[in-house]
Amino acid sequence: MHHEEVIIVGGGPCGMSCAIELQNAGMNPLIIEKENIVNTIYQFPTHQTFFSSSEKLEIGGVPFITENKKPVRNQALAYYREVALRKNLRIHSFEKVRKITRNGNHSFVVETETMDGEERIYESNHVVVATGYYDQPNYMHVPGENLPKVMHYFKEAHPYFDKDVVVIGGKNSAVDATLELHKAGARVTVIYRGSEYSTSVKPWILPEFDSLVRNGHVKMVFNSQVTEITNDAVSYSVNGQEHTIKNDFVFAMTGYQPNVSFLENIGVHVDKNTGKPDYNETTYETNVPGVYIAGVVASGFNNNEIFIENGRFHGQGIAESIINKK
């Protein structure tokens, strides 16, 4: 059994930032990440531009310098790789944490599995959960949602040229996907349960999107709910009336949520309505002594509350708490 002082579950920007703060406090934490570092950013659309400016994405005091104020996805990937190298972070990538259990009163057993099926067991005095939320789509629970044509992530538009595509949702991810799909020659219908455009849509992209809708290049259906997806069609209701349209592919941009069951299995109390874990807002220690949370997982179902911009500072409180326990 490998012994560690601190194990961080999740190698995103907030998990990495936490590791750096712990390093600065004299510890040498181990990050265990089921994919590669900053996997959420890797999953972003290829040509994604960040909402945040580059300096607000910096961690560990390493400057993030870009020619434009707001960086794109590939620049962020390169930046965080460089941070990992400069800070000599200990990262076990492509290793999934399966289970965390308390080992007496002073440590935890962390069970993992590597990509080739090897099972590993660690003992750690402290555990930081920095798992984000992007791996847990909000499912609609409608017939046909599990068909291969239905996707919850959008990467690139090129494969959908000359295809009938339905985008479900009306917030930033749905609008971004629609714009890219239209440019690539897809015929797009957007199905959104809201009665008007979401106030969260980035103001610099809404005029272009609205212009496409008003000029009939994109069909926007408000007050609508998908009721069934088949191999060649999508059915939806509007004010109780059913409609069916021809369809080749569906992008269900319905948002994401934290892995609540993972936290609950550790013993962390999670509010059923908000999805928020029970934690101290100064130290980020949960109701389970020795278990901390960092990053967007602390925000529960409201993932507009915590971003890289503010989640990158969580490690400071965590490091201070662990040091004070010694």
Side-chain angles (χ1 to χ4, degrees):
M1 184 183 295
H2 305 279
H3 182 78
E4 299 288 343
E5 186 168 13
V6 184
I7 285 178
I8 300 171
V9 184
C14 296
M16 291 174 62
S17 178
C18 183
I20 294 168
E21 293 295 339
L22 291 165
Q23 281 183 341
N24 293 340
M27 290 169 269
N28 192 20
L30 173 65
I31 295 174
I32 302 179
E33 164 58 50
K34 65 183 179 58
E35 300 291 342
N36 211 324
I37 62 167
V38 296
N39 184 61
T40 292
I41 296 175
Y42 172 72
Q43 296 286 356
F44 283 176
T46 302
H47 307 294
Q48 177 84 35
T49 298
F50 276 80
F51 180 85
S52 304
S53 54
S54 56
E55 74 274 6
K56 293 182 179 179
L57 302 175
E58 292 176 353
I59 61 174
V62 179
F64 186 6
I65 300 171
T66 56
E67 63 270 25
N68 297 317
K69 185 174 178 63
K70 295 180 178 180
V72 297
R73 167 185 170 274
N74 280 352
Q75 290 172 326
L77 293 176
Y79 169 75
Y80 290 114
R81 291 197 303 267
E82 182 63 23
V83 171
L85 286 172
R86 287 197 197 184
K87 297 298 182 178
N88 196 28
L89 296 180
R90 296 173 60 223
I91 302 170
H92 285 191
S93 57
F94 299 100
E95 183 174 344
K96 184 178 179 64
V97 174
R98 293 293 187 188
K99 189 177 182 182
I100 299 174
T101 53
R102 180 174 286 284
N103 185 25
N105 295 322
H106 303 292
S107 66
F108 299 89
V109 173
V110 179
E111 301 176 41
T112 73
E113 183 179 354
T114 65
M115 63 183 300
D116 59 3
E118 177 191 350
E119 295 182 356
R120 296 177 179 173
I121 299 178
Y122 304 83
E123 183 184 34
S124 183
N125 296 341
H126 309 279
V127 172
V128 180
V129 179
T131 49
Y133 69 98
Y134 203 60
D135 293 326
Q136 300 275 126
N138 291 322
Y139 291 105
M140 300 174 291
H141 304 293
V142 299
E145 185 174 13
N146 294 323
L147 289 172
K149 64 182 275 186
V150 182
M151 292 153 284
H152 289 271
Y153 300 91
F154 176 79
K155 200 71 174 174
E156 291 193 58
H158 172 75
Y160 311 101
F161 164 71
D162 197 31
K163 296 297 181 183
D164 294 300
V165 180
V166 163
V167 175
I168 303 171
K171 297 186 179 180
N172 284 308
S173 59
V175 171
D176 284 335
T178 299
L179 293 175
E180 292 296 320
L181 288 162
H182 170 73
K183 291 173 186 175
R187 295 177 292 275
V188 186
T189 298
V190 181
I191 296 175
Y192 181 43
R193 64 185 179 182
S195 59
E196 57 186 22
Y197 294 130
S198 170
T199 56
S200 68
V201 175
K202 293 173 285 193
W204 59 88
I205 64 171
L206 185 56
E208 180 182 0
F209 180 79
D210 181 55
S211 176
L212 293 177
V213 173
R214 284 187 290 102
N215 289 291
H217 300 302
V218 167
K219 182 179 180 180
M220 181 81 187
V221 187
F222 291 104
N223 299 309
S224 55
Q225 297 273 1
V226 171
T227 55
E228 184 179 13
I229 302 168
T230 64
N231 286 324
D232 60 359
V234 170
S235 297
Y236 62 93
S237 65
V238 181
N239 299 323
Q241 292 189 329
E242 285 289 327
H243 304 265
T244 299
I245 57 173
K246 176 187 173 185
N247 175 256
D248 298 306
F249 295 97
V250 174
F251 285 96
M253 314 307 290
T254 50
Y256 310 92
Q257 60 179 301
N259 190 340
V260 170
S261 61
F262 182 79
L263 291 168
E264 289 179 330
N265 287 340
I266 304 173
V268 176
H269 298 156
V270 179
D271 187 282
K272 298 297 184 184
N273 295 319
T274 66
K276 277 194 172 186
D278 183 357
Y279 71 97
N280 183 301
E281 294 187 1
T282 300
T283 65
Y284 300 95
E285 188 171 23
T286 68
N287 62 280
V288 180
V291 174
Y292 298 80
I293 53 174
V296 70
V297 69
S299 65
F301 301 139
N302 182 15
N303 49 48
N304 290 320
E305 181 179 318
I306 297 175
F307 307 90
I308 299 173
E309 288 187 16
N310 50 6
R312 60 185 173 148
F313 298 118
H314 291 178
Q316 295 173 2
I318 294 170
E320 290 175 8
S321 174
I322 293 176
I323 286 294
N324 288 338
K325 288 185 176 184
K326 291 186 175 182

